[in-house]
Amino acid sequence: MELQEQVQKRKTFAIISHPDAGKTTMTEKLLLFGNLIRSAGTVKGKKTGKYATSDWMEIEKQRGISVTSSVMNFDYKGHKVNILDTPGHEDFSEDTYRTLTAVDSVVMIIDATKGIEAQTIKLFKVCKMRGIPIFTFINKLDREGREPLDLLDQIEEVLNIETYPMNWPVGMGKRFLGILDRYHDRFVQFNGNEEESYIPMDEVSSLAVSEDPTYQETVEELALLDEAGDQFSLERVLAGDQTPVFFGSALAPFGVQTFFDTFIQMAPSPGPRRTVEAVVSPDNPDFSGFIFKIQANMNPQHRDRIAFLRVCSGRFERGMNVTLARTGKSIRLGQTQQFVASSRDTVEEAYAGDIIGVYDPGSYRIGDTLLEGKLKESYDELPQFPPEMFQRVTAKNVMKAKQFRKGIEQLVQEGAIQLFRGYPMDSMIIGAVGQLQYDVFQHRMRNEYNVEVLLESIGDRIPRWLRSEQVDPSLFDERNMLVKDREGDFLVLFKNDFALRWFTDKHPDIELIDLYEVNQYDQTTHS
Ligand SMILES: Nc1nc2c(ncn2[C@@H]2O[C@H](COP(=O)(O)OP(=O)(O)OP(=O)(O)O)[C@@H](O)[C@H]2O)c(=O)[nH]1
Ligand SMILES: [Mg+2]
């Protein structure tokens, strides 16, 4: 029974959007509610010199963008909250997609001045495919943006999901007066300070704001919406067929409290999870979980590696012995931590839905399942993106060979980049989905491993794997390059489509395997 109660309290969600819509700013405000921080930092550390907590990496502060997902846990009004701030930029979408495997719902942020943007569509599709309930927060109402009705239409048309506005903005930009909280039948007045004051609808008539033409127009607009719009249905929300929509400003902040209080009530608690062959209930007494992310050097003082584990069932207890499904080996989970804003606390116990950090001596891989007791199956595989751009990498200073190797090994383990070795002439080739990944790689090699790296582009390439018995090095050259992957399997990096076709025609007996063809994520979301 206790197990069930613990599971019910958990709310684990990710914040997603196109770059710059305000995910990190929103996360920072939510941390305030959890009393994890006393004052909110900003993405670029403006005004106060204080940076947003979830953009902890050096390069994130410098550029004012998120390049990696970060997790924070806190208690809020009887709930145990696990929040994941994700990067919006498409070059980091592999990290974002993996994070989506670890959550039970998402908050989709839309910039009211821009509407639906490219990356929002891609991320939305992934959520939809996984059946993750989606809550929408339309942000930046403190600026002149698009009409609320237009925005709803756009969500319905472009994303093909029913919307239900939980509240409705009264004006925007300089004339932003507040929001009508439809769901609670009250007016939330914007008066420039951070506290939200709630006025029951039948008391608004005694306030000056009720005389304001903007207010009156909004009330009329809302009456139309009541008549013509969809009905709210929590069942449909949880099935991913309807999205509750909230309006506000993460920066002001305004409407964030109204949003979060409602969201936390409605958001689903952890449900059953699929393994390769079975379904595991969150209150199954046997512990299980999977690793969806590995991060090196989160703490510059310790330079350790942390594996992010999503608990899926049972009870986690510090010091417990678990089995690593991939190898069958037993591992003691002694060093563990919660992610509480900038500091990290030891975590003694955790339940389904929780995301905890386990110390990684180098034994884990992304996608690994940890389990105990009768459970045997691994959780479904995590999405992997095909690298498209390739660069030859060397250390500028040969004396730094040791740090160079360590840095590459760790960043490859994180999945920040992918590594290939030339064959038969050994050389290191790294693959990435986008250019920003190389920038981050170079920056982190310098910052975290003290190595300057030289990158030499070999351009966009098409990777195709070979059967080991069909490998014949004499067939390949610079144009169609033979390399080995991390597992030691051979693949060819074809120069372009033409080179690939030419090779296929000439050697019809050699099977070329597209490892990513079976990857559904790739098909639907990566253009
Ligand atoms: N005017 C206004 N600006 C906002 C608001 N919310 C966020 N911003 C600004 O928008 C910019 C981007 O905000 P972030 O929170 O970094 O956006 P993000 O979604 O985390 O971006 P990525 O992590 O790079 O994808 C920053 O300059 C914020 O200060 C808002 O409600 N109003
Ligand atoms: Mg961010």
Side-chain angles (χ1 to χ4, degrees):
M1 202 53 209
E2 201 222 354
L3 207 53
Q4 253 177 29
E5 265 171 43
Q6 291 287 357
V7 172
Q8 281 310 314
K9 282 207 255 180
R10 261 77 191 166
K11 303 284 168 151
T12 304
F13 63 96
I15 307 201
I16 58 164
S17 79
H18 193 82
D20 267 359
K23 297 175 291 296
T24 300
T25 307
M26 169 66 95
T27 305
E28 190 73 359
K29 293 297 145 60
L30 298 184
L31 295 182
L32 276 178
F33 297 160
N35 287 322
L36 284 192
I37 50 174
R38 236 172 267 135
S39 64
T42 57
V43 174
K44 288 208 169 115
K46 274 189 267 179
K47 285 188 213 154
T48 53
K50 184 172 184 282
Y51 288 93
T53 314
S54 55
D55 281 351
W56 54 272
M57 209 184 264
E58 199 52 42
I59 192 167
E60 295 182 313
K61 295 180 189 173
Q62 281 177 16
R63 299 209 179 183
I65 62 167
S66 306
V67 309
T68 188
S69 297
S70 55
V71 186
M72 283 135 291
N73 332 88
F74 60 89
D75 289 339
Y76 184 71
K77 298 191 175 170
H79 302 279
K80 292 266 176 201
V81 179
N82 291 274
I83 171 174
L84 290 120
D85 178 22
T86 66
H89 198 287
E90 69 171 328
D91 287 5
F92 308 121
S93 40
E94 191 166 349
D95 182 87
T96 301
Y97 288 10
R98 284 192 203 120
T99 297
L100 289 176
T101 63
V103 302
D104 303 307
S105 62
V106 303
V107 175
M108 173 171 78
I109 303 212
I110 291 169
D111 182 336
T113 66
K114 305 233 174 89
I116 304 279
E117 298 173 90
Q119 198 60 15
T120 316
I121 302 175
K122 290 187 185 178
L123 293 166
F124 176 88
K125 281 188 187 158
V126 177
C127 295
K128 190 86 182 154
M129 200 169 64
R130 299 189 62 91
I132 309 175
I134 299 154
F135 294 76
T136 304
F137 185 87
I138 299 189
N139 192 28
K140 307 200 184 179
L141 265 287
D142 57 315
R143 295 226 208 130
E144 294 302 330
R146 300 170 58 155
E147 284 302 319
L149 272 176
D150 286 352
L151 288 163
L152 289 194
D153 274 352
Q154 203 196 10
I155 297 173
E156 299 220 338
E157 255 168 52
V158 178
L159 302 182
N160 192 20
I161 187 170
E162 206 174 281
T163 57
Y164 183 87
M166 302 298 285
N167 52 46
W168 202 247
V170 184
M172 62 174 84
K174 289 206 181 69
R175 296 204 36 78
F176 182 49
L177 303 178
I179 48 183
L180 288 166
D181 183 349
R182 232 180 145 195
Y183 191 71
H184 295 101
D185 204 29
R186 64 193 182 186
F187 176 56
V188 191
Q189 195 161 20
F190 181 50
N191 35 28
N193 57 25
E194 302 197 357
E195 289 284 290
E196 294 182 7
S197 60
Y198 306 115
I199 305 149
M201 275 316 281
D202 47 13
E203 290 174 24
V204 180
S205 55
S206 62
L207 300 177
V209 69
S210 67
E211 306 293 325
D212 193 298
T214 307
Y215 179 85
Q216 289 168 349
E217 272 164 38
T218 310
V219 171
E220 279 164 31
E221 201 171 49
L222 203 56
L224 284 178
L225 211 65
D226 282 339
E227 267 172 43
D230 293 313
Q231 294 293 312
F232 176 72
S233 156
L234 188 57
E235 205 177 309
R236 287 179 67 70
V237 171
L238 297 182
D241 294 328
Q242 187 183 72
T243 181
V245 180
F246 301 81
F247 291 84
S249 162
L251 189 65
F254 186 78
V256 178
Q257 181 101 48
T258 300
F259 152 70
F260 196 54
D261 284 348
T262 316
F263 165 76
I264 210 74
Q265 298 286 342
M266 292 180 176
S269 298
R273 292 245 153 193
R274 266 221 322 270
T275 62
V276 178
E277 276 171 9
V279 171
V280 180
S281 164
D283 52 12
N284 185 315
D286 289 333
F287 164 84
S288 69
F290 66 90
I291 289 164
F292 63 95
K293 181 178 172 71
I294 292 171
Q295 185 81 58
N297 310 319
M298 283 184 75
N299 183 337
Q301 265 99 54
H302 294 110
R303 297 261 160 223
D304 50 6
R305 258 175 301 172
I306 302 295
F308 291 61
L309 176 79
R310 148 95 196 199
V311 181
C312 298
S313 69
R315 178 171 181 272
F316 163 86
E317 222 182 291
R318 192 163 74 86
M320 78 192 298
N321 286 304
V322 296
T323 305
L324 177 58
R326 176 170 48 85
T327 60
K329 283 206 183 106
S330 176
I331 294 186
R332 183 172 177 275
L333 299 179
Q335 286 192 52
T336 55
Q337 49 203 239
Q338 245 178 330
F339 303 95
V340 216
S342 50
S343 67
R344 296 185 284 172
D345 278 2
T346 298
V347 47
E348 297 296 335
E349 58 164 26
Y351 297 89
D354 281 335
I355 288 162
I356 59 176
V358 298
Y359 172 75
D360 178 18
S363 14
Y364 299 121
R365 287 202 194 161
I366 289 172
D368 269 347
T369 298
L370 300 180
L371 24 81
E372 67 161 2
K374 290 193 221 59
L375 295 174
K376 292 280 175 299
E377 305 286 349
S378 289
Y379 285 98
D380 278 353
E381 279 184 32
L382 297 193
Q384 251 212 334
F385 279 20
E388 288 167 3
M389 314 164 71
F390 295 84
Q391 310 224 17
R392 216 176 252 121
V393 58
T394 46
K396 201 167 183 178
N397 181 346
V398 286
M399 304 296 284
K400 294 269 175 80
K402 204 170 151 212
Q403 291 103 303
F404 176 71
R405 252 182 283 121
K406 180 175 172 200
I408 291 197
E409 185 208 302
Q410 297 199 346
L411 296 182
V412 166
Q413 192 204 13
E414 270 187 23
I417 45 151
Q418 299 183 39
L419 178 68
F420 304 92
R421 309 290 298 237
Y423 188 88
M425 285 279 284
D426 195 17
S427 62
M428 281 189 172
I429 291 163
I430 57 175
V433 179
Q435 179 58 36
L436 261 182
Q437 275 178 282
Y438 288 116
D439 295 358
V440 172
F441 168 70
Q442 231 167 352
H443 178 96
R444 291 186 62 191
M445 286 296 280
R446 185 184 307 129
N447 240 37
E448 294 168 26
Y449 301 93
N450 197 22
V451 184
E452 289 293 336
V453 295
L454 296 174
L455 292 170
E456 175 208 343
S457 176
I458 56 168
D460 291 358
R461 295 271 173 156
I462 306 169
R464 289 287 182 272
W465 273 257
L466 297 171
R467 301 214 169 277
S468 53
E469 65 275 13
Q470 292 194 319
V471 176
D472 174 1
S474 70
L475 298 178
F476 306 102
D477 50 23
E478 276 295 299
R479 194 172 165 75
N480 300 332
M481 209 183 266
L482 184 63
V483 299
K484 277 183 173 184
D485 68 11
R486 235 178 129 193
E487 317 290 334
D489 291 330
F490 282 97
L491 63 147
V492 186
L493 303 179
F494 286 98
K495 182 101 188 150
N496 50 33
D497 266 328
F498 176 78
L500 174 59
R501 254 180 289 133
W502 184 85
F503 187 89
T504 323
D505 287 347
K506 204 155 175 218
H507 305 280
D509 51 315
I510 297 184
E511 191 181 353
L512 299 172
I513 304 157
D514 181 359
L515 268 195
Y516 301 97
E517 203 173 38
V518 285
N519 188 337
Q520 47 184 349
Y521 291 86
D522 179 30
Q523 307 279 307
T524 46
T525 59
H526 204 72
S527 53

